[in-house]
C-alpha cells in the first residue's frame, strides 16, 4: 500500500521503567510515579526534541490506566493509599489534560485489548493521540512494610473518569473457591496436571518439561535491564525441588511461577498518522497495529477440556488470519507466561519447540522478568515495538492472558503499514461455550480428572490441601477435597497419579465435599 492515510493508527512511543530495592539510587516510587515516568519515557521515545515532547504531551486526548493489583478486586486494599483517578494522576505527571480518562478492568489481556480499542477510535476519527500506562510497586510496598515504614500515596485528582469496573464476571466458580482454589496458582495447577495426565508424565518429569520450556526465558531475562530476576538458569535448576525452589502447588516449583514482587511500569502512545506527521515524528519511529483479537472461556468448571484453552488458540489464529500471516512468518514472539500452561497451550497447537530460535518471550517472561499485575503485556508491547523497529518489515506477535486462562488477546505489530480504511482490525470472538454441566446437590462419587496439592506457606500450622476436579456418572463436574485423614487416599494423591481413581464423597460440616478412595 502507499502512504498511510491520515487516520491510520500508529504506535509512536513506548516506555519502560523499573527499580529494585537494592539498586543504587533506589527511589521507592509509587505506582503512579512509575507509570508517569514510563509515560514520560514513551514521549521521549517518539524522537522529537523537548519542545516537541511538550506538544505531544498536550496532544494526548485519551489516556487509559491499567488497573494495579491493589485495586483489582472488591476486597483488595492499597496499604499506602491510592489515587482517586489513576489515569488523570498519571497524565498530570507529564503535563497532559486529556478529554477522556479510562480505568481498565482486571486482567493481563486488558492493556493489549485497550490498545486495539483506542487504535480503532483513532481510525474512526474520534481521537488523535491516545496513551496507555500502568505500573506496580509491590516490591516496594512489601519492603517498606517489612521495615515498619509507611508512605502516603493517596492522591485526590478529581475530574471525569470512565471506570470500567473489575470485570471479574465468569472467572470464579463458587465450588472451587469453597474447596480452596482461591488463587491463580491453584487454578493453573489444576489445568497443568490435566495436561500432565494427558501425557502420562510423573510430577518430576513434568517439572523437567516446564524447566526445558522456561530455561530459555531466563537467558532473555538475564539480558533485560528491567528484569526482576536477571539470572540465567538451567532447566535442571528450574525443575529440581530444593528448599529455595520448593513446591508451591503441585506440579509447580517456586521459580517457575509468576513473580509479582516487582517495581515496574510501562506505557504506549498511539496516534493518527496525520497527527504524528504534524508533531514531527519520523516515520522510522512508527509501528503499525495489524490486528488485535480477543477471546474468552467459560468459568473453569464448565470447560470441556481442562488441559487447554481453545479461546487462546482462536485469538492467535484470528489475528494471524486478519494479517494474512502464518506463525512461521512471525519473527518476534512473546507468549504470556504467568505459568507454563498458557505457553504450552500455544506451543502444542503451533508445534513450537522450547528451543525455537526466535524465542518465545521478548521480556524474559513473568517468572523472571516479572509479573507487574495486569500491566505485563504493556511491557511485552514495548519490547515488540523495539524489535519491529530494529528489523523493519518483520512481524511481532504478543499473546496476553487474563484470569485463569479465561481471556486472551493476540496482536501483531510491524513497521509495514496496516490499512485501517474500511478494515476492522480489532476482532472480538464469541465466548467459548460452556460444555460441561456442574453437578447439583450432594453426590455420592466422582472419578478424578485433575487435582493439585496446595502447600501452606512455611511457618503456618495448616497442612496441604488436595483440590480435586472430577466427573460423576452423568458426566457432570464436581469439585472436592481429597480426605487427608485417610492414609490410602492421601498416598494416592501424594504419589502424583490419582487420575481416573474413584472417590466416595461425603459432606463436611463446613459444606465442603470430601473424597475418599474406594467404590461407592
Amino acid at each position: 500500500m502507499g502512504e498511510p492515510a491520515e487516520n491510520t493508527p500508529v504506535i509512536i512511543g513506548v516506555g519502560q521503567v523499573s527499580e529494585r530495592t537494592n539498586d543504587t539510587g533506589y527511589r521507592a516510587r509509587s505506582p503512579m510515579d512509575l507509570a508517569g515516568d514510563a509515560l514520560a519515557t514513551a514521549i521521549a521515545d517518539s524522537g522529537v526534541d523537548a519542545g516537541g515532547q511538550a506538544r505531544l504531551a498536550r496532544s494526548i486526548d485519551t489516556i487509559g490506566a491499567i488497573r494495579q493489583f491493589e485495586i483489582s478486586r472488591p476486597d483488595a486494599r492499597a496499604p499506602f493509599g491510592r489515587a482517586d483517578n489513576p489515569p488523570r494522576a498519571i497524565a498530570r505527571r507529564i503535563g497532559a489534560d486529556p478529554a477522556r480518562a479510562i480505568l481498565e478492568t482486571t486482567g493481563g489481556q486488558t492493556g493489549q485489548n485497550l490498545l486495539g480499542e483506542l487504535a480503532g477510535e483513532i481510525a474512526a476519527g474520534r481521537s488523535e493521540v491516545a496513551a496507555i500506562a500502568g505500573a506496580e510497586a509491590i516490591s516496594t510496598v512489601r519492603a517498606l512494610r517489612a521495615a515498619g515504614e509507611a508512605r502516603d500515596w493517596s492522591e485526590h485528582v478529581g475530574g471525569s473518569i470512565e471506570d470500567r469496573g473489575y470485570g471479574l464476571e465468569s472467572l470464579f466458580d463458587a465450588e472451587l473457591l469453597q474447596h480452596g482454589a482461591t488463587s491463580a496458582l491453584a487454578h493453573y495447577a489444576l489445568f497443568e496436571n490435566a495436561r500432565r495426565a494427558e501425557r502420562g508424565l510423573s510430577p518430576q518429569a513434568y517439572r523437567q518439561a516446564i524447566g526445558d520450556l522456561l530455561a530459555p526465558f531466563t537467558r532473555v531475562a538475564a539480558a533485560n535491564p528491567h528484569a526482576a530476576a536477571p539470572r540465567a538458569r538451567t532447566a535442571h535448576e528450574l525443575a529440581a525441588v530444593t528448599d529455595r525452589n520448593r513446591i508451591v502447588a503441585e506440579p509447580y516449583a517456586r521459580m517457575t511461577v509468576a513473580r509479582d514482587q516487582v517495581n515496574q511500569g510501562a506505557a504506549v502512545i498511539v496516534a493518527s498518522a496525520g497527527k504524528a506527521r504534524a508533531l514531527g515524528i519520523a516515520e522510522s519511529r512508527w509501528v503499525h497495529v495489524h490486528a488485535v483479537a480477543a477471546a474468552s472461556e467459560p468459568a473453569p468448571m464448565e470447560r470441556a477440556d481442562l488441559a487447554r484453552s481453545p479461546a487462546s488458540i482462536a485469538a492467535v489464529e484470528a489475528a494471524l488470519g486478519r494479517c494474512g500471516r502464518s506463525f512461521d512468518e512471525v519473527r518476534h514472539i512473546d507468549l504470556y507466561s504467568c505459568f507454563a500452561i498458557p505457553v504450552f497451550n500455544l506451543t502444542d497447537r503451533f508445534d513450537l519447540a522450547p528451543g525455537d530460535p526466535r524465542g518465545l518471550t521478548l521480556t524474559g517472561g513473568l517468572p523472571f522478568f516479572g509479573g507487574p499485575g495486569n500491566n505485563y503485556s504493556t511491557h511485552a508491547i514495548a519490547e515488540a515495538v523495539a524489535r519491529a523497529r530494529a528489523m523493519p518489515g518483520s512481524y511481532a506477535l504478543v499473546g496476553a492472558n487474563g484470569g485463569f486462562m479465561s481471556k486472551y488477546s493476540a496482536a501483531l505489530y510491524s513497521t509495514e503499514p496496516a490499512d485501517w480504511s474500511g478494515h476492522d482490525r480489532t476482532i472480538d470472538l464469541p465466548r467459548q461455550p460452556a460444555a460441561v454441566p456442574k453437578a447439583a446437590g450432594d453426590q455420592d462419587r466422582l472419578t478424578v480428572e485433575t487435582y493439585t496439592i496446595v502447600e501452606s506457606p512455611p511457618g503456618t500450622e495448616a497442612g496441604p490441601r488436595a483440590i480435586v476436579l472430577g466427573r460423576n456418572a452423568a458426566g457432570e463436574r464436581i469439585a472436592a477435597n481429597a480426605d487427608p485423614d485417610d492414609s490410602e487416599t492421601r498416598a494416592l494423591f501424594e504419589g502424583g497419579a490419582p487420575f481416573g481413581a474413584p472417590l466416595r464423597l461425603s459432606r463436611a460440616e463446613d459444606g465442603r465435599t470430601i473424597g475418599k478412595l474406594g467404590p461407592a
Side-chain angles (χ1 to χ4, degrees):
M1 61 180 288
E3 188 174 80
E6 291 288 286
N7 65 340
T8 301
V10 293
I11 295 173
I12 58 171
V14 294
Q16 299 184 75
V17 297
S18 60
E19 61 178 4
R20 306 181 193 95
T21 56
N22 60 352
D23 284 347
T24 301
Y26 168 61
R27 293 158 51 193
R29 285 173 280 181
S30 73
M32 296 297 95
D33 287 337
L34 286 165
D37 287 349
L39 185 51
T41 303
I43 290 172
D45 182 63
S46 68
V48 295
D49 61 18
Q53 291 177 34
R55 287 191 294 275
L56 172 53
R58 292 193 299 269
S59 298
I60 295 173
D61 56 56
T62 305
I63 184 166
I66 305 305
R67 192 178 288 268
Q68 69 204 70
F69 264 172
E70 292 177 337
I71 58 172
S72 286
R73 290 171 51 150
D75 59 345
R77 295 292 179 269
F80 297 159
R82 52 160 293 188
D84 64 336
N85 190 327
R88 293 197 181 278
I90 297 167
R92 75 176 183 177
R93 282 166 166 77
I94 51 98
D97 185 20
R100 188 181 181 198
I102 302 166
L103 180 59
E104 253 301 348
T105 58
T106 298
Q109 84 292 345
T110 55
Q112 187 155 260
N113 280 347
L114 182 58
L115 176 62
E117 176 189 337
L118 297 182
E121 290 291 290
I122 289 169
R126 292 186 289 266
S127 171
E128 286 189 312
V129 183
I132 298 166
E136 293 287 353
I138 296 172
S139 181
T140 286
V141 170
R142 293 187 179 183
L144 290 173
R145 296 185 81 183
E149 298 182 38
R151 295 287 188 276
D152 183 3
W153 288 344
S154 57
E155 293 184 50
H156 178 70
V157 183
S160 62
I161 182 172
E162 184 180 325
D163 187 338
R164 295 182 169 179
Y166 299 109
L168 301 177
E169 300 82 9
S170 300
L171 293 189
F172 296 96
D173 286 295
E175 295 91 338
L176 273 173
L177 290 172
Q178 182 184 32
H179 289 87
T182 57
S183 65
L185 177 67
H187 283 80
Y188 280 92
L190 288 166
F191 303 150
E192 206 84 65
N193 273 322
R195 184 176 181 273
R196 176 169 73 81
E198 187 178 80
R199 281 156 176 72
L201 296 175
S202 69
Q204 186 54 40
Y206 196 80
R207 274 190 285 279
Q208 187 61 51
I210 292 174
D212 292 340
L213 176 74
L214 295 181
F217 286 55
T218 71
R219 295 192 287 273
V220 177
N224 188 331
H226 297 295
R231 176 180 171 182
R233 294 186 181 274
T234 66
H236 175 75
E237 284 181 280
L238 298 176
V241 178
T242 65
D243 289 344
R244 287 182 53 80
N245 196 35
R246 63 185 176 85
I247 299 297
V248 289
E250 187 66 63
Y252 293 130
R254 183 185 64 82
M255 289 183 191
T256 61
V257 303
R259 175 186 294 266
D260 64 1
Q261 294 188 46
V262 299
N263 303 317
Q264 295 171 332
V268 179
I269 303 171
V270 59
S272 68
K275 188 64 174 180
R277 294 186 186 105
L279 290 166
I281 298 167
E283 291 196 30
S284 62
R285 308 303 295 166
W286 298 6
V287 171
H288 290 256
V289 183
H290 280 257
V292 181
S296 59
E297 297 282 358
M301 286 186 64
E302 299 174 333
R303 297 179 193 176
D305 188 345
L306 297 172
R308 58 185 46 82
S309 167
S312 307
I313 293 167
V316 172
E317 290 177 336
L320 290 168
R322 185 58 51 92
C323 300
R325 293 287 186 278
S326 70
F327 215 122
D328 289 342
E329 295 174 283
V330 174
R331 178 61 185 83
H332 319 287
I333 303 167
D334 193 273
L335 301 182
Y336 201 97
S337 55
C338 50
F339 301 93
I341 194 162
V343 184
F344 279 139
N345 183 59
L346 295 172
T347 60
D348 291 346
R349 166 62 183 83
F350 294 102
D351 195 25
L352 303 172
D356 190 299
R358 296 170 294 181
L360 302 177
T361 180
L362 301 177
T363 66
L366 283 85
F368 316 109
F369 168 79
N374 303 310
N375 198 49
Y376 169 81
S377 67
T378 315
H379 290 270
I381 294 166
E383 295 288 351
V385 167
R387 303 302 201 285
R389 286 173 176 165
M391 192 178 291
S394 63
Y395 281 76
L397 183 145
V398 172
N401 172 77
F404 312 127
M405 283 207 302
S406 306
K407 301 177 182 181
Y408 208 82
S409 174
L412 281 108
Y413 305 93
S414 177
T415 58
E416 284 291 302
D419 183 6
W420 282 74
S421 59
H423 298 276
D424 184 3
R425 292 185 174 271
T426 59
I427 308 157
D428 193 6
L429 298 170
R431 180 186 294 274
Q432 293 286 314
V436 178
K438 292 185 284 187
D442 289 345
Q443 301 289 314
D444 60 2
R445 67 173 291 168
L446 66 77
T447 300
V448 176
E449 285 181 282
T450 189
Y451 79 105
T452 185
I453 300 174
V454 178
E455 299 292 338
S456 300
T460 61
E461 294 184 4
R465 175 177 288 188
I467 305 166
V468 185
L469 282 177
R471 304 276 193 109
N472 64 12
E476 299 167 325
R477 192 165 274 137
I478 303 169
N481 292 128
D483 187 348
D485 297 323
D486 180 75
S487 59
E488 189 177 5
T489 303
R490 187 173 62 253
L492 175 72
F493 281 88
E494 290 176 349
F499 312 111
L503 299 184
R504 289 183 286 118
L505 303 179
S506 60
R507 185 71 70 173
E509 290 183 3
D510 60 5
R512 290 183 296 121
T513 299
I514 304 299
K516 183 177 179 179
L517 185 64

